[in-house]
């Protein structure tokens, strides 16, 4: 198995420095809260879907906080997130090459 990514190591060090570690279930609840905040921002920005979505000034920071939390959960549970994301991306690309893009949302069939 490869070493964890630089990003995951940086996240782990920063979490150690400020005491952000928690159990995996607690981290999942925090991720759910962060995802909800992103959804609320998108809903507000589109006036409940009546307007096209344009990222707001705080969008990148909110998205980064969600990604940070995912890397932190990976650290807590022993998962190299960057490696798994790359493996998923490669598998999806292979699937698209075989089935074509009309195959639908790829995460429905696991």
């Amino acid at each position: 198995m490869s070493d964890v990514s630089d990003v995951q190591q940086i996240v782990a060090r920063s979490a150690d420095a400020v005491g952000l570690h928690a159990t995996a279930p607690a981290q999942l609840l925090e991720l759910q809260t962060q995802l909800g905040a992103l959804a609320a921002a998108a809903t507000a920005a589109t006036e409940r879907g009546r307007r096209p979505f344009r990222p707001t000034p705080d969008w990148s920071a909110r998205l980064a906080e969600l990604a940070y939390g995912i890397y932190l959960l990976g650290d807590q549970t022993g998962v190299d997130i960057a490696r798994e994301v790359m493996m998923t991306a490669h598998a999806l690309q292979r699937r698209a090459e075989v089935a074509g893009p009309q195959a639908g949302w790829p995460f429905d069939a696991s």
Side-chain angles (χ1 to χ4, degrees):
M1 181 180 270
S2 66
D3 294 333
V4 296
S5 72
D6 291 342
V7 172
Q8 194 156 338
Q9 290 176 14
I10 291 166
V11 167
R13 283 194 303 270
S14 68
D16 289 343
V18 295
L20 284 181
H21 294 289
T23 64
Q27 289 180 349
L28 285 168
L29 289 171
E30 179 62 25
L31 286 169
Q32 186 175 12
T33 300
Q34 292 170 334
L35 183 58
L38 274 173
T43 298
T46 63
E47 295 179 14
R48 297 192 151 324
R50 289 187 292 272
R51 296 190 180 275
F53 176 73
R54 302 286 186 267
T56 57
D58 65 337
W59 182 259
S60 61
R62 288 180 186 265
L63 191 57
E65 289 169 359
L66 179 63
Y68 180 95
I70 291 170
Y71 273 93
L72 187 59
L73 181 61
D75 180 61
Q76 177 70 21
T77 59
V79 175
D80 182 344
I81 296 298
R83 179 178 176 272
E84 294 300 322
V85 167
M86 284 190 286
M87 288 174 42
T88 299
H90 291 304
L92 291 174
Q93 184 173 353
R94 284 191 303 275
R95 180 176 182 247
E97 289 167 356
V98 171
Q102 68 279 3
W105 184 245
F107 302 112
D108 290 339
S110 294

